[in-house]
Amino acid sequence: MMVFLKKIRNKLKSLFTLPYVFPENKKLKELFSSFEKAVILGSAESINNLDITLFKNDFVITMGNFYEHPEIKIINPKVHVFAASHPPITEKVLKNWWRRCNDILPKNTILLIEKRDEKIAKEIFADRKIFFYSYGGSLPVDLTKKILSPWSVTVVGIQLAIYCKIPKIILLGVNHDWQCIKKYTHFYEHDKPSLEYYLKEENIKISYEEQKQPFPKERLYREYELYQQYESLKEESIKLGLQIVNGDPFSFFDVFPFDKQKQIIKS
Protein backbone atom coordinates (compact mmCIF):
# COMPACT_ATOMS: atom_id res chain seq x y z
CA MET A 1 0.00 0.00 0.00
CA MET A 2 2.80 2.43 0.94
CA VAL A 3 4.63 1.73 -2.34
CA PHE A 4 1.42 2.40 -4.28
CA LEU A 5 0.84 5.72 -2.48
CA LYS A 6 4.44 6.75 -3.11
CA LYS A 7 4.02 6.09 -6.84
CA ILE A 8 0.83 8.19 -6.90
CA ARG A 9 2.57 11.03 -5.03
CA ASN A 10 5.53 11.03 -7.42
CA LYS A 11 3.16 10.98 -10.40
CA LEU A 12 1.23 13.99 -9.10
CA LYS A 13 4.47 15.80 -8.36
CA SER A 14 5.69 15.26 -11.93
CA LEU A 15 2.41 16.60 -13.33
CA PHE A 16 2.70 19.88 -11.46
CA THR A 17 6.46 20.40 -11.85
CA LEU A 18 7.86 21.85 -15.04
CA PRO A 19 10.90 19.69 -15.88
CA TYR A 20 12.71 22.45 -17.78
CA VAL A 21 12.13 26.15 -17.22
CA PHE A 22 15.26 27.28 -19.08
CA PRO A 23 16.28 24.52 -21.52
CA GLU A 24 18.60 26.98 -23.29
CA ASN A 25 20.84 26.99 -20.19
CA LYS A 26 22.20 23.60 -21.26
CA LYS A 27 24.41 25.73 -23.51
CA LEU A 28 26.26 27.04 -20.44
CA LYS A 29 27.44 23.55 -19.63
CA GLU A 30 28.51 23.04 -23.23
CA LEU A 31 30.50 26.28 -23.20
CA PHE A 32 32.32 25.90 -19.90
CA SER A 33 32.45 22.29 -18.69
CA SER A 34 35.88 21.77 -20.27
CA PHE A 35 37.54 24.18 -17.81
CA GLU A 36 39.52 22.66 -14.95
CA LYS A 37 39.21 25.74 -12.76
CA ALA A 38 36.54 28.34 -12.07
CA VAL A 39 37.46 31.60 -10.33
CA ILE A 40 34.56 33.46 -8.69
CA LEU A 41 35.39 37.09 -7.97
CA GLY A 42 33.59 39.02 -5.23
CA SER A 43 33.98 42.72 -4.50
CA ALA A 44 35.65 42.71 -1.07
CA GLU A 45 38.43 45.21 -0.38
CA SER A 46 41.07 42.47 -0.51
CA ILE A 47 40.71 42.39 -4.32
CA ASN A 48 42.85 45.55 -4.45
CA ASN A 49 45.80 43.52 -3.12
CA LEU A 50 45.53 40.75 -5.72
CA ASP A 51 46.67 40.44 -9.33
CA ILE A 52 43.64 38.63 -10.65
CA THR A 53 44.64 39.16 -14.27
CA LEU A 54 46.62 35.93 -13.78
CA PHE A 55 43.32 34.04 -14.09
CA LYS A 56 42.34 35.56 -17.44
CA ASN A 57 42.49 32.19 -19.20
CA ASP A 58 40.34 30.41 -16.61
CA PHE A 59 36.56 30.26 -16.24
CA VAL A 60 36.23 33.61 -14.46
CA ILE A 61 32.82 34.49 -13.04
CA THR A 62 32.25 38.08 -11.88
CA MET A 63 29.23 39.50 -10.10
CA GLY A 64 27.43 42.71 -9.24
CA ASN A 65 29.72 45.75 -9.28
CA PHE A 66 32.85 43.83 -10.24
CA TYR A 67 32.77 45.31 -13.75
CA GLU A 68 34.17 48.47 -12.08
CA HIS A 69 37.54 46.76 -11.61
CA PRO A 70 40.16 48.86 -13.47
CA GLU A 71 41.53 45.76 -15.23
CA ILE A 72 38.18 44.25 -16.21
CA LYS A 73 39.16 44.24 -19.90
CA ILE A 74 42.23 42.11 -19.16
CA ILE A 75 40.39 39.85 -16.71
CA ASN A 76 37.78 39.36 -19.45
CA PRO A 77 35.27 37.31 -17.39
CA LYS A 78 33.42 34.52 -19.15
CA VAL A 79 30.17 35.20 -17.25
CA HIS A 80 28.92 38.16 -15.20
CA VAL A 81 26.08 37.43 -12.75
CA PHE A 82 23.40 39.76 -11.42
CA ALA A 83 21.09 38.82 -8.57
CA ALA A 84 17.42 39.77 -8.91
CA SER A 85 16.70 43.45 -8.30
CA HIS A 86 14.98 44.13 -5.00
CA PRO A 87 14.16 47.07 -2.70
CA PRO A 88 15.61 49.60 -2.25
CA ILE A 89 16.71 49.30 -5.91
CA THR A 90 14.27 51.21 -8.12
CA GLU A 91 13.84 50.80 -11.87
CA LYS A 92 15.72 54.06 -12.46
CA VAL A 93 18.64 52.95 -10.28
CA LEU A 94 18.75 49.54 -11.99
CA LYS A 95 18.82 51.07 -15.46
CA ASN A 96 21.56 53.57 -14.56
CA TRP A 97 23.61 50.81 -12.94
CA TRP A 98 23.23 48.44 -15.88
CA ARG A 99 23.95 51.12 -18.51
CA ARG A 100 27.26 51.72 -16.77
CA CYS A 101 27.94 47.96 -16.79
CA ASN A 102 27.09 47.73 -20.48
CA ASP A 103 29.61 50.48 -21.27
CA ILE A 104 32.48 48.85 -19.35
CA LEU A 105 32.06 45.08 -19.29
CA PRO A 106 33.81 43.32 -22.22
CA LYS A 107 31.28 42.75 -24.99
CA ASN A 108 31.97 39.02 -25.20
CA THR A 109 31.14 38.45 -21.51
CA ILE A 110 27.92 36.47 -21.11
CA LEU A 111 25.34 37.81 -18.66
CA LEU A 112 23.36 35.64 -16.24
CA ILE A 113 20.29 37.52 -14.99
CA GLU A 114 17.26 36.60 -12.89
CA LYS A 115 14.07 36.18 -14.89
CA ARG A 116 12.10 38.96 -13.18
CA ASP A 117 14.51 41.52 -14.67
CA GLU A 118 14.25 40.14 -18.21
CA LYS A 119 12.45 43.13 -19.74
CA ILE A 120 14.99 45.70 -18.54
CA ALA A 121 17.91 43.36 -19.30
CA LYS A 122 16.84 42.97 -22.92
CA GLU A 123 16.48 46.74 -23.19
CA ILE A 124 19.86 47.68 -21.68
CA PHE A 125 21.90 44.69 -22.89
CA ALA A 126 20.27 44.41 -26.32
CA ASP A 127 23.52 43.53 -28.11
CA ARG A 128 24.78 40.99 -25.57
CA LYS A 129 24.32 37.27 -24.98
CA ILE A 130 22.07 36.82 -21.94
CA PHE A 131 21.01 33.68 -20.10
CA PHE A 132 18.23 33.82 -17.52
CA TYR A 133 17.66 31.87 -14.32
CA SER A 134 15.00 31.90 -11.63
CA TYR A 135 14.82 31.69 -7.84
CA GLY A 136 12.67 29.21 -5.96
CA GLY A 137 14.41 25.90 -6.63
CA SER A 138 16.48 23.51 -4.56
CA LEU A 139 19.52 21.29 -4.76
CA PRO A 140 20.86 19.46 -6.71
CA VAL A 141 21.85 22.35 -8.97
CA ASP A 142 20.25 22.44 -12.41
CA LEU A 143 20.20 25.78 -14.23
CA THR A 144 17.59 24.51 -16.69
CA LYS A 145 15.23 24.60 -13.67
CA LYS A 146 14.77 27.03 -10.81
CA ILE A 147 17.79 27.29 -8.53
CA LEU A 148 18.41 27.85 -4.83
CA SER A 149 17.24 31.38 -3.91
CA PRO A 150 20.44 33.15 -2.85
CA TRP A 151 21.18 35.30 0.18
CA SER A 152 24.21 36.55 -1.75
CA VAL A 153 24.89 36.73 -5.49
CA THR A 154 27.96 34.55 -4.83
CA VAL A 155 25.54 31.67 -4.22
CA VAL A 156 24.39 32.02 -7.84
CA GLY A 157 27.99 32.08 -9.11
CA ILE A 158 28.82 28.91 -7.19
CA GLN A 159 25.71 27.17 -8.52
CA LEU A 160 26.78 28.05 -12.06
CA ALA A 161 30.24 26.53 -11.50
CA ILE A 162 28.73 23.41 -9.92
CA TYR A 163 26.24 23.08 -12.79
CA CYS A 164 29.15 23.15 -15.25
CA LYS A 165 30.93 20.47 -13.14
CA ILE A 166 34.15 22.49 -12.77
CA PRO A 167 36.62 20.34 -10.74
CA LYS A 168 38.07 23.24 -8.70
CA ILE A 169 36.13 26.38 -7.78
CA ILE A 170 38.18 29.20 -6.24
CA LEU A 171 36.59 32.11 -4.34
CA LEU A 172 38.41 35.46 -4.19
CA GLY A 173 37.07 38.67 -2.66
CA VAL A 174 34.26 36.77 -0.95
CA ASN A 175 35.01 37.86 2.61
CA HIS A 176 31.90 37.60 4.72
CA ASP A 177 33.92 38.04 7.89
CA TRP A 178 33.31 41.82 7.66
CA GLN A 179 29.53 41.53 7.53
CA CYS A 180 28.65 42.14 11.16
CA ILE A 181 31.67 43.88 12.68
CA LYS A 182 33.26 46.15 10.06
CA LYS A 183 32.24 49.08 7.89
CA TYR A 184 30.49 48.44 4.59
CA THR A 185 33.33 48.62 2.05
CA HIS A 186 34.39 47.17 -1.30
CA PHE A 187 37.41 47.39 -3.61
CA TYR A 188 35.74 50.39 -5.30
CA GLU A 189 34.65 53.71 -3.79
CA HIS A 190 30.95 54.23 -3.09
CA ASP A 191 31.10 57.85 -4.23
CA LYS A 192 32.01 56.76 -7.77
CA PRO A 193 29.72 54.94 -10.27
CA SER A 194 28.46 51.73 -8.64
CA LEU A 195 25.15 50.46 -7.28
CA GLU A 196 25.79 52.39 -4.05
CA TYR A 197 26.49 55.56 -6.05
CA TYR A 198 23.25 55.33 -8.03
CA LEU A 199 21.24 54.62 -4.88
CA LYS A 200 22.68 57.72 -3.22
CA GLU A 201 21.90 59.79 -6.33
CA GLU A 202 18.24 59.01 -5.64
CA ASN A 203 18.65 59.75 -1.90
CA ILE A 204 18.08 56.09 -1.04
CA LYS A 205 19.77 54.99 2.19
CA ILE A 206 21.85 51.80 2.30
CA SER A 207 20.98 49.89 5.45
CA TYR A 208 24.48 48.46 5.93
CA GLU A 209 25.95 51.97 5.99
CA GLU A 210 23.41 52.95 8.65
CA GLN A 211 24.62 50.26 11.04
CA LYS A 212 25.57 51.81 14.39
CA GLN A 213 26.67 48.77 16.42
CA PRO A 214 28.55 45.53 15.85
CA PHE A 215 26.62 42.28 15.60
CA PRO A 216 23.13 43.70 14.94
CA LYS A 217 20.66 40.84 15.28
CA GLU A 218 18.98 41.43 11.89
CA ARG A 219 22.25 40.94 10.05
CA LEU A 220 23.28 38.00 12.19
CA TYR A 221 20.05 36.24 11.22
CA ARG A 222 20.70 36.90 7.52
CA GLU A 223 24.29 35.76 7.81
CA TYR A 224 23.19 32.53 9.43
CA GLU A 225 20.90 31.78 6.48
CA LEU A 226 23.70 32.65 4.04
CA TYR A 227 26.25 30.44 5.80
CA GLN A 228 23.77 27.56 5.78
CA GLN A 229 23.45 27.96 1.99
CA TYR A 230 27.22 27.85 1.62
CA GLU A 231 27.36 24.71 3.74
CA SER A 232 24.75 23.02 1.54
CA LEU A 233 26.70 23.97 -1.59
CA LYS A 234 29.87 22.55 -0.05
CA GLU A 235 28.07 19.25 0.57
CA GLU A 236 26.70 19.28 -2.97
CA SER A 237 30.16 19.83 -4.46
CA ILE A 238 31.62 16.96 -2.41
CA LYS A 239 28.89 14.60 -3.66
CA LEU A 240 29.85 15.50 -7.23
CA GLY A 241 33.59 15.14 -6.66
CA LEU A 242 34.16 18.89 -7.01
CA GLN A 243 36.19 21.15 -4.72
CA ILE A 244 35.27 24.66 -3.56
CA VAL A 245 38.03 26.61 -1.80
CA ASN A 246 38.57 30.10 -0.42
CA GLY A 247 41.67 31.21 -2.26
CA ASP A 248 41.83 34.76 -0.89
CA PRO A 249 45.04 35.23 1.14
CA PHE A 250 43.39 38.03 3.15
CA SER A 251 40.08 36.36 3.96
CA PHE A 252 38.95 34.53 7.10
CA PHE A 253 35.73 33.21 5.54
CA ASP A 254 36.03 29.56 6.56
CA VAL A 255 32.98 27.64 5.30
CA PHE A 256 35.17 26.29 2.53
CA PRO A 257 38.73 25.04 3.05
CA PHE A 258 41.48 27.59 2.50
CA ASP A 259 43.78 27.36 -0.50
CA LYS A 260 45.36 30.78 -0.27
CA GLN A 261 46.64 31.89 -3.66
CA LYS A 262 49.74 33.69 -2.37
CA GLN A 263 51.29 33.86 -5.83
CA ILE A 264 48.73 36.51 -6.84
CA ILE A 265 49.51 38.96 -4.00
CA LYS A 266 50.73 42.25 -5.46
CA SER A 267 54.25 43.09 -4.40
Side-chain angles (χ1 to χ4, degrees):
M1 185 64 178
M2 291 298 293
V3 173
F4 175 74
L5 289 174
K6 186 175 181 181
K7 286 181 178 179
I8 293 295
R9 186 169 63 248
N10 290 339
K11 181 66 175 179
L12 289 171
K13 184 178 179 181
S14 67
L15 288 173
F16 292 100
T17 304
L18 291 174
Y20 298 108
V21 184
F22 305 104
E24 64 278 7
N25 286 355
K26 291 179 182 178
K27 183 69 175 176
L28 290 166
K29 191 176 288 187
E30 294 172 16
L31 288 169
F32 303 119
S33 61
S34 62
F35 283 89
E36 290 296 315
K37 181 165 58 181
V39 181
I40 298 177
L41 300 176
S43 295
E45 249 185 322
S46 60
I47 287 292
N48 287 324
N49 300 317
L50 306 176
D51 182 6
I52 47 181
T53 63
L54 297 174
F55 297 109
K56 62 185 179 182
N57 296 320
D58 294 306
F59 179 23
V60 173
I61 301 169
T62 52
M63 304 168 293
N65 276 314
F66 201 91
Y67 63 82
E68 291 292 347
H69 194 282
E71 295 178 302
I72 193 66
K73 301 291 186 187
I74 302 172
I75 298 164
N76 194 26
K78 301 296 186 293
V79 178
H80 187 84
V81 181
F82 282 111
S85 63
H86 55 80
I89 300 172
T90 63
E91 182 174 317
K92 182 178 180 181
V93 168
L94 184 64
K95 286 183 175 180
N96 287 339
W97 185 34
W98 281 4
R99 286 191 186 104
R100 169 77 174 176
C101 174
N102 194 47
D103 289 341
I104 297 174
L105 192 69
K107 294 300 181 184
N108 61 334
T109 298
I110 289 171
L111 290 165
L112 185 61
I113 293 175
E114 216 275 344
K115 180 72 173 177
R116 73 190 71 180
D117 295 319
E118 180 177 9
K119 183 179 178 182
I120 295 175
K122 287 183 174 179
E123 174 190 336
I124 303 298
F125 302 119
D127 298 325
R128 290 180 178 271
K129 181 64 178 175
I130 309 173
F131 287 87
F132 295 97
Y133 68 96
S134 184
Y135 293 172
S138 58
L139 299 178
V141 180
D142 185 347
L143 258 74
T144 66
K145 304 177 183 179
K146 293 184 177 183
I147 66 170
L148 193 66
S149 301
W151 283 87
S152 165
V153 66
T154 308
V155 171
V156 181
I158 292 174
Q159 288 183 90
L160 171 60
I162 289 176
Y163 176 66
C164 293
K165 298 280 198 310
I166 308 300
K168 186 168 186 176
I169 303 164
I170 302 172
L171 306 182
L172 297 170
V174 182
N175 303 354
H176 290 288
D177 47 281
W178 64 266
Q179 287 277 12
C180 293
I181 58 176
K182 299 180 182 179
K183 288 184 178 180
Y184 179 62
T185 59
H186 295 100
F187 72 80
Y188 54 86
E189 299 296 330
H190 292 176
D191 59 356
K192 295 179 180 178
S194 60
L195 176 57
E196 290 79 9
Y197 172 85
Y198 294 118
L199 285 168
K200 289 177 181 179
E201 266 198 333
E202 299 301 310
N203 295 313
I204 298 172
K205 291 183 178 181
I206 300 169
S207 60
Y208 283 172
E209 291 187 341
E210 298 293 303
Q211 179 183 320
K212 301 300 181 184
Q213 61 178 5
F215 303 110
K217 64 180 182 180
E218 295 83 5
R219 284 179 64 184
L220 284 171
Y221 297 157
R222 287 198 295 268
E223 288 305 295
Y224 174 78
E225 296 288 349
L226 174 58
Y227 271 62
Q228 289 299 105
Q229 286 193 331
Y230 283 131
E231 292 285 0
S232 66
L233 290 171
K234 180 172 72 173
E235 291 177 11
E236 178 75 0
S237 67
I238 292 170
K239 287 178 186 176
L240 295 171
L242 312 176
Q243 183 185 26
I244 306 174
V245 299
N246 183 358
D248 195 317
F250 303 100
S251 172
F252 298 99
F253 174 51
D254 62 354
V255 171
F256 305 103
F258 291 108
D259 184 5
K260 295 182 182 289
Q261 307 288 300
K262 294 182 179 180
Q263 77 280 8
I264 66 172
I265 297 175
K266 290 180 179 178
S267 59

